[in-house]
Amino acid sequence: MKSYRKELWFETSTRIAFINITSRVKEALRESGINEGLCLVSPMHITASVFINDNESGLHRDYERWLEEKVPHDPSLYEHNRTGEENGDAHIKRQLMGREVVIAVTGGSLDFGPWEEVFYGEFDGCRKKRVLIKIIGE
Amino acid sequence: MKSYRKELWFETSTRIAFINITSRVKEALRESGINEGLCLVSPMHITASVFINDNESGLHRDYERWLEEKVPHDPSLYEHNRTGEENGDAHIKRQLMGREVVIAVTGGSLDFGPWEEVFYGEFDGCRKKRVLIKIIGE
Amino acid sequence: MKSYRKELWFETSTRIAFINITSRVKEALRESGINEGLCLVSPMHITASVFINDNESGLHRDYERWLEEKVPHDPSLYEHNRTGEENGDAHIKRQLMGREVVIAVTGGSLDFGPWEEVFYGEFDGCRKKRVLIKIIGE
């Protein structure tokens, strides 16, 4: 069994952001030399998500609007913010969008349907954060 | 390490549908010959979910009602639909229900508690769609 | 390829509870002797979640309050409860918080960022329930 590990770094200029990381995950898979296996992509932070969906900016604005409506940023609403943080909402938003994705690796490629792309979802940006790619297989 | 891959195809007659695929995942596991490992089950589409919950029709109606209340289908509500689509809601519903499941394989069986069953959740049906099963282990 | 399996048992005294299981997952990893691979942690029940987030009690109260506001416990609201259950809400709450987590194993450790901790999330407690840990790798 082989395994491969890589970190991606991000620092977004907005509190909420969605970044297409598909090509960087594919690059990591090529570097790994793994043909058959599983690829885990997960944020190393608890106010961010990695998710798979459509590479369409209108949809990303829909995500942001829906999340903001159901989980408003207003720092006064969250007990968590009594610790001095202002990101209580981001911890809930990340749960709703999910933490990680696990992707099948087949014949040396990400085994995707026609529209699947991988995104880093940031809900408490403007600081340095990391995504972990871990691939196992052979 | 062994790996096994199989696709399941669906074409639902309703926009939203929940289909029990447990027996088909078990069949794929038997075909794989894998005794110890991990089994990934994921849709190859971005308006569908694979999830694990109860095989109870009342619960499935609860899911549909709750999702429709929080994420109404009304195509006028979503920027994504300016692309000509009418499925902006389905992209949000799928995030809330989750994309994929990873199931432990132990002694040649899905390592499940007493009530766990696997479902394909369709949120933009009436078209052909696929689920991918990828099993690795030995 | 090695694999390792362990169950954790819980019986909470409240309907909703969040229990930090990070040290128990680390213990299972040590017992497994696995250095590189993937660690799946999943509930064996369909009204519970395993999730990764912050070990902060105010945040956990935020989760409970938000979930209760969006998915009230009131048993009269859910068709599922016509089966005699009173946990229709718990099946929805668990989907929103997610079922399982998959964690990278690197150099014999859970490959975590600085704040990641693993929690068992109970939404229909006061009964015996289990979490499954399955680790594969070498």
Side-chain angles (χ1 to χ4, degrees):
Chain A
M1 200 200 78
K2 281 187 197 173
S3 73
Y4 186 75
R5 177 194 196 277
K6 186 174 190 175
E7 290 180 6
L8 308 179
W9 285 80
F10 302 94
E11 185 170 3
T12 65
S13 60
T14 50
R15 188 168 54 82
I16 297 187
F18 301 112
I19 299 171
N20 192 334
I21 60 173
T22 313
S23 63
R24 301 179 73 179
V25 178
K26 286 179 178 173
E27 185 183 36
L29 178 55
R30 277 194 301 273
E31 292 162 2
S32 76
I34 291 172
N35 283 302
E36 297 291 323
L38 294 176
C39 172
L40 168 71
V41 190
S42 64
M44 302 185 76
H45 301 266
I46 52 187
T47 52
S49 294
V50 172
F51 66 94
I52 287 173
N53 219 295
D54 201 359
N55 188 25
E56 201 278 301
S57 58
L59 177 66
H60 299 173
R61 285 188 293 272
D62 290 330
Y63 281 140
E64 180 167 353
R65 184 191 49 75
W66 189 90
L67 288 166
E68 205 58 39
E69 186 184 304
K70 302 303 182 203
V71 192
H73 174 60
D74 179 355
S76 74
L77 296 173
Y78 304 94
E79 279 198 47
H80 177 58
N81 293 337
R82 295 183 193 166
T83 62
E85 299 278 357
E86 297 206 338
N87 61 9
D89 63 309
H91 290 275
I92 299 180
K93 285 165 170 144
R94 115 67 171 263
Q95 290 304 127
L96 298 177
M97 291 295 281
R99 173 182 176 257
E100 83 245 357
V101 296
V102 178
I103 307 165
V105 174
T106 302
S109 296
L110 300 179
D111 198 337
F112 271 164
W115 301 102
E116 292 185 281
E117 304 234 11
V118 193
F119 292 88
Y120 174 67
E122 175 64 83
F123 305 111
D124 182 36
C126 311
R127 60 182 80 182
K128 283 207 166 121
K129 289 168 120 174
R130 283 176 291 165
V131 160
L132 176 63
I133 302 172
K134 183 88 182 190
I135 310 168
I136 70 167
E138 62 180 22
Chain B
M1 199 201 79
K2 282 187 197 174
S3 72
Y4 186 76
R5 178 195 194 273
K6 187 175 191 174
E7 289 181 5
L8 308 179
W9 285 79
F10 301 93
E11 186 170 4
T12 64
S13 59
T14 51
R15 187 168 55 83
I16 297 188
F18 300 111
I19 298 171
N20 191 334
I21 59 173
T22 314
S23 62
R24 300 178 74 180
V25 178
K26 287 179 177 172
E27 186 182 36
L29 179 55
R30 277 193 303 273
E31 291 162 2
S32 77
I34 290 172
N35 284 302
E36 298 291 323
L38 295 177
C39 173
L40 169 70
V41 191
S42 64
M44 302 185 77
H45 301 265
I46 53 189
T47 51
S49 294
V50 171
F51 67 93
I52 287 173
N53 218 295
D54 201 358
N55 188 26
E56 201 279 299
S57 58
L59 177 65
H60 300 173
R61 285 189 293 273
D62 290 330
Y63 281 139
E64 181 168 352
R65 183 191 49 74
W66 190 90
L67 289 166
E68 204 58 39
E69 186 183 304
K70 302 304 182 203
V71 192
H73 174 60
D74 180 354
S76 74
L77 296 174
Y78 305 94
E79 278 196 49
H80 177 58
N81 293 338
R82 294 184 194 167
T83 62
E85 299 277 358
E86 297 207 338
N87 61 9
D89 62 308
H91 291 274
I92 299 179
K93 284 166 172 145
R94 113 69 170 265
Q95 289 306 125
L96 297 178
M97 291 296 282
R99 172 182 177 257
E100 82 245 359
V101 296
V102 178
I103 306 165
V105 173
T106 303
S109 296
L110 300 178
D111 198 336
F112 270 165
W115 302 102
E116 291 184 283
E117 305 234 10
V118 193
F119 291 88
Y120 174 66
E122 174 64 82
F123 305 112
D124 184 35
C126 310
R127 59 182 81 183
K128 284 205 164 123
K129 288 168 123 174
R130 283 176 291 166
V131 160
L132 176 63
I133 302 172
K134 183 87 182 190
I135 311 169
I136 70 167
E138 62 180 24
Chain C
M1 200 200 78
K2 281 187 196 175
S3 73
Y4 185 75
R5 178 194 195 275
K6 186 175 191 175
E7 290 180 6
L8 307 179
W9 285 80
F10 301 93
E11 186 170 3
T12 64
S13 60
T14 49
R15 186 168 55 81
I16 296 186
F18 300 112
I19 299 171
N20 191 334
I21 60 173
T22 313
S23 63
R24 300 179 72 181
V25 178
K26 287 179 177 172
E27 186 183 37
L29 180 55
R30 279 194 300 273
E31 291 162 1
S32 76
I34 290 171
N35 283 304
E36 296 292 324
L38 294 177
C39 173
L40 168 70
V41 191
S42 63
M44 302 185 77
H45 301 264
I46 53 188
T47 52
S49 294
V50 171
F51 66 94
I52 287 173
N53 219 297
D54 201 359
N55 189 25
E56 200 279 299
S57 58
L59 176 65
H60 299 173
R61 285 188 294 272
D62 290 329
Y63 281 141
E64 181 167 353
R65 183 190 50 73
W66 190 91
L67 288 166
E68 204 59 39
E69 186 183 303
K70 302 304 183 202
V71 193
H73 174 59
D74 180 355
S76 73
L77 297 174
Y78 304 94
E79 278 197 48
H80 178 58
N81 293 338
R82 295 184 192 166
T83 62
E85 299 278 356
E86 297 207 337
N87 61 9
D89 62 309
H91 290 275
I92 299 178
K93 285 166 171 146
R94 115 70 171 264
Q95 290 304 126
L96 298 176
M97 291 295 281
R99 172 183 178 254
E100 81 246 358
V101 296
V102 178
I103 308 164
V105 174
T106 303
S109 296
L110 300 178
D111 197 336
F112 271 164
W115 301 102
E116 292 185 282
E117 305 234 9
V118 193
F119 292 88
Y120 174 67
E122 175 63 82
F123 305 110
D124 183 36
C126 310
R127 60 182 80 183
K128 284 206 164 118
K129 287 168 122 173
R130 283 175 291 165
V131 160
L132 177 64
I133 302 171
K134 183 88 182 189
I135 310 168
I136 69 167
E138 61 182 23

